[in-house]
Each structure stands twice: as structure tokens, then as C-alpha cells.
Amino acid sequence: MVLKDTTSLTSGMDLSRHARTLRQGPAQARGPRSWWGHTAASLDLQEVPLRRFPMLVVLILGRTGLMLAIVFRSVLVPIKAVIMNTSR
């Protein structure tokens, strides 16, 4: 999608989001479509990490707890550390 006039990136991203929601409707029956360009790439670069963020936080906290359990040979210390890091 290439915008004809000069607009801000946020309005272009809103337009890309709207076009993608329209694509998921009856137009999906006509075949797949892809959106590319600077605005669509910026939108993907923003949305994909945000979708995966909760899993990333769980993995980091789990690995931290595991490493602390190995180092201190205790279960209470890593549990306390993980709880204290998440309760801000």
C-alpha cells in the first residue's frame, strides 16, 4: 500500500490496520492478499513483538528462577525473587 499524499506514519498505520480488517471479510474468499511497504512493515514490526511479549516475560522469569534454584540449591529463593520482580 502506497499512500498518495503525505500523511503521518500513525495515520498510515491506521489505514493499514483498516485495510487488513477489510481483507479478513468477504474478500478473503477471492484469494490471499498481502500488504507491503514502509507503513505495513512498520505495523508488523510493532505488532509481532507485542503479541509475543507475554511469552517472553514468562520465559525470562522461568529461566531466572531455574538458574537461581541451581545456584542457591533452594526452591524458596528463586520463588521469592520471581515474585518480587513481578510485583512492581
Side-chain angles (χ1 to χ4, degrees):
M1 170 184 318
V2 178
L3 301 175
K4 194 172 189 176
D5 59 347
T6 339
T7 59
S8 67
L9 181 62
T10 54
S11 63
M13 290 172 86
D14 290 339
L15 182 62
S16 292
R17 280 190 194 99
H18 182 65
R20 286 179 180 182
T21 57
L22 291 176
R23 179 185 70 176
Q24 294 172 355
Q28 188 69 16
R30 288 184 262 151
R33 292 197 173 96
S34 62
W35 303 100
W36 42 273
H38 176 69
T39 307
S42 296
L43 185 63
D44 291 338
L45 189 65
Q46 183 181 19
E47 288 182 351
V48 171
L50 285 176
R51 261 193 316 237
R52 296 180 180 170
F53 185 72
M55 179 58 90
L56 181 66
V57 170
V58 168
L59 286 174
I60 289 173
L61 290 174
R63 289 252 171 128
T64 302
L66 181 66
M67 290 188 315
L68 287 172
I70 291 171
V71 169
F72 291 112
R73 296 180 186 173
S74 170
V75 178
L76 185 60
V77 172
I79 290 173
K80 182 180 175 185
V82 168
I83 290 172
M84 290 184 72
N85 280 331
T86 57
S87 63
R88 289 184 183 225

